[in-house]
Amino acid sequence: MQTGEPSQVLIHVGANVHRFRTAANLSQVALANRAGVSRRTIIKLESGEANISLTGLDHLADALGVTFVDLVAAPAAAHADIRELAWRGRPGSSAVLLASVPAAKDAQLWAWVLEPGDRYDAEPDPEGWSELLMVSEGSIRVEQERGDVVLTAGEHLAFGTAQHYSYVNDGDGRARFTRVVVS
């Protein structure tokens, strides 16, 4: 979740962080220390006011012993049909978490849109995490430590995400792609 207007997912994150933190009998300070974020971030998250990176949510999930999906989904949502806006870039760019199924830890299905000139920069995931991308419209450049890969409509890429990586739309038109995150 980055720039743009607030989304319903912030309300879910706040309620879920509070619920899981309370169930784990953790203070806000203890959770902040475990997750490597500030207490102020925890306070603001729980009140639905903070914006946090996707990587920050991963750290919170790990600290709470839950999955990323557990934090962003509506409390009663089935993981097979989540449909939550989790990231917004420039106007028109977004990432919607569509669904999640069990894997070694978790698998997530995302629908992404990147408008021309927009990018998403990711921090490394833990060892063993991977992504599968499939472009359905336009093109994206995937920047990774082993070199950039340009994908056009109909092309796909599978790669490990224990590295810094980015999605970039260098083109003149909108790019749409599906992303599957597996941990």
Side-chain angles (χ1 to χ4, degrees):
M1 299 173 309
Q2 286 190 346
T3 60
E5 52 196 68
S7 70
Q8 187 67 27
V9 76
L10 287 177
I11 294 167
H12 301 324
V13 168
N16 290 334
V17 166
H18 179 75
R19 179 168 50 94
F20 291 126
R21 180 182 61 77
T22 303
N25 201 27
L26 291 171
S27 68
Q28 291 174 331
V29 171
L31 176 58
N33 289 338
R34 273 191 189 182
V37 299
S38 71
R39 178 178 176 262
R40 182 180 173 115
T41 298
I42 302 296
I43 292 168
K44 290 186 136 215
L45 275 173
E46 289 187 358
S47 66
E49 298 172 12
N51 219 349
I52 187 169
S53 70
L54 298 178
T55 301
L57 285 175
D58 280 333
H59 292 301
L60 277 173
D62 285 343
L64 289 166
V66 300
T67 68
F68 173 88
V69 173
D70 291 329
L71 287 185
V72 300
H79 287 188
D81 189 23
I82 298 168
R83 298 176 195 253
E84 289 289 347
L85 175 67
W87 177 83
R88 191 182 299 259
R90 294 180 184 182
S93 295
S94 63
V96 176
L97 177 60
L98 298 174
S100 177
V101 296
K105 183 174 178 185
D106 196 26
Q108 305 163 4
L109 176 64
W110 293 79
W112 278 75
V113 176
L114 278 182
E115 293 294 332
D118 207 356
R119 69 182 292 128
Y120 171 74
D121 297 310
E123 294 179 31
D125 291 319
E127 281 297 326
W129 286 49
S130 299
E131 290 193 7
L132 306 165
L133 303 176
M134 176 72 157
V135 176
S136 57
E137 177 184 337
S139 67
I140 62 169
R141 179 169 42 90
V142 181
E143 295 176 349
Q144 347 171 37
E145 291 173 7
R146 68 177 185 192
D148 295 2
V149 177
V150 176
L151 301 173
T152 59
E155 295 181 321
H156 68 277
L157 176 67
F159 64 102
T161 57
Q163 62 176 315
H164 288 278
Y165 62 97
S166 301
Y167 309 134
V168 183
N169 181 349
D170 293 322
D172 296 329
R174 173 179 290 148
R176 291 184 191 272
F177 60 101
T178 302
R179 173 185 178 218
V180 177
V181 178
V182 181
S183 61

